[in-house]
Amino acid sequence: MIDASDSFELLPGDGPSPVILHVPHSAREIPDAVRAGILLGDEETARELDLITDAHTDRIAEVAAGLAGVTPWRFVNRLSRLVVDPERFPDEREEMLAVGMGAVYTRTTHGDALRPEGVDAGPLVERYFLPYARAMTEAVADRLESTGRAVIIDVHSYPSRRLPYELHGEGPRPPVCLGTDSFHTPPALLDAAREAFGETRLDTPFGGAYVPLEFYAKRPEVSALMVEIRRDTYMAEPGGPAGPGLERLAAALAGLVDAVSR
């Protein structure tokens, strides 16, 4: 089985950079022992991975980091979100529990059973979720200590057509959705993102921004923004290859990184 320490990676940036590009949902890897607890057959699992994976977002972040004037740090999940979703609350605070998609998913994007009813999420949370959360907390704390601030830019993608699991998918689906937090997303960060990406909307069809709980609603020096890129702007859906849009979006992300690194 993959060790928890191998399930994510912190890729160093320049010392003066406050920026962490967080890429939580780009991977398809599922350890064998975890795969054994998933009810879907191999073809069904592959299809679900096509639908739920933010394909190529790790590459977008990688290219952006190479283009940026000050290289940002990158925190990349190397396991599929079908193992654990590191951005969910691991308890009853998580609204996605309503559709079986808490920290450990029990339902698919279409509401079918993914894991047995009544499965104990505890072992997966202990083995994968908590080490990830600690490591991300430490990465943010390091940026605070080194630069006096931290800027978390979450790099996601979403399908051009609404999937059944989406709780708030009835609104517009812009080329880039900017997810915000009332405490951690300052106006200057939003302005920089709008300038970098062009056509954007706020918090539709997805909202919020990821901040480790140790800092959440406590440390304004930690700012955060979720960048949700509509998949048809850079890849063949679902789960297909990337196209020329990837380079353009990576350049836009690099522009945002440069703007908030000053």
Side-chain angles (χ1 to χ4, degrees), residues 34-175:
V34 179
R35 174 69 184 88
I38 289 176
L39 299 175
L40 306 180
D42 288 346
E43 288 188 8
E44 294 171 301
T45 299
R47 173 66 175 175
E48 185 66 13
L49 286 168
D50 285 346
L51 294 173
I52 202 68
T53 303
D54 293 353
H56 314 298
T57 50
D58 54 343
R59 179 61 181 161
I60 291 173
E62 179 184 16
V63 174
L67 293 173
V70 178
T71 303
W73 298 62
R74 286 180 287 144
F75 195 104
V76 183
N77 189 5
R78 297 304 185 190
L79 295 183
S80 168
R81 62 198 292 191
L82 296 186
V83 180
V84 297
D85 190 330
E87 294 205 315
R88 303 287 199 240
F89 288 112
D91 51 37
E92 297 305 316
R93 290 172 292 178
E94 179 52 61
E95 70 168 354
M96 294 300 290
L97 285 171
V99 290
M101 288 187 165
V104 176
Y105 295 178
T106 59
R107 294 280 168 178
T108 70
T109 51
H110 285 72
D112 299 320
L114 181 72
R115 289 184 168 92
E117 187 174 353
V119 66
D120 180 9
L124 289 176
V125 169
E126 288 287 336
R127 185 172 185 86
Y128 296 108
F129 183 96
L130 294 180
Y132 188 108
R134 285 193 293 268
M136 186 63 183
T137 299
E138 290 169 2
V140 173
D142 181 69
R143 291 300 84 212
L144 283 172
E145 182 178 354
S146 298
T147 72
R149 61 193 180 106
V151 183
I152 303 168
I153 300 175
D154 244 3
V155 186
H156 290 259
S157 70
Y158 75 99
S160 58
R161 294 186 178 183
R162 181 181 184 177
L163 290 171
Y165 83 94
E166 296 179 24
L167 291 179
H168 310 290
E170 67 278 356
R173 304 179 84 82

Side-chain angles (χ1 to χ4, degrees), residues 174-194:
V176 175
C177 158
L178 301 176
T180 68
D181 179 86
S182 60
F183 186 89
H184 290 283
T185 309
L189 178 54
L190 267 184
D191 290 345
R194 289 184 174 117

Side-chain angles (χ1 to χ4, degrees), residues 1-11 23 27 29-31 75-80 83-84 127-129 131-132 135:
M1 179 182 286
I2 292 176
D3 187 81
S5 62
D6 297 325
S7 67
F8 52 82
E9 187 174 9
L10 177 64
L11 296 151
V23 187
E29 179 72 22
I30 303 174
F75 195 104
V76 183
N77 189 5
R78 297 304 185 190
L79 295 183
S80 168
V83 180
V84 297
R127 185 172 185 86
Y128 296 108
F129 183 96
Y132 188 108

Side-chain angles (χ1 to χ4, degrees), residues 55-57 59-61 63-64 67 155-157 175-176 196-197 227-236 240-254:
H56 314 298
T57 50
R59 179 61 181 161
I60 291 173
V63 174
L67 293 173
V155 186
H156 290 259
S157 70
V176 175
F197 288 104
V227 175
E228 286 270 7
I229 303 165
R230 203 178 67 214
R231 291 177 190 156
D232 64 340
T233 64
Y234 74 92
M235 63 173 283
L246 186 147
E247 300 289 336
R248 174 182 58 81
L249 287 159
L253 180 59

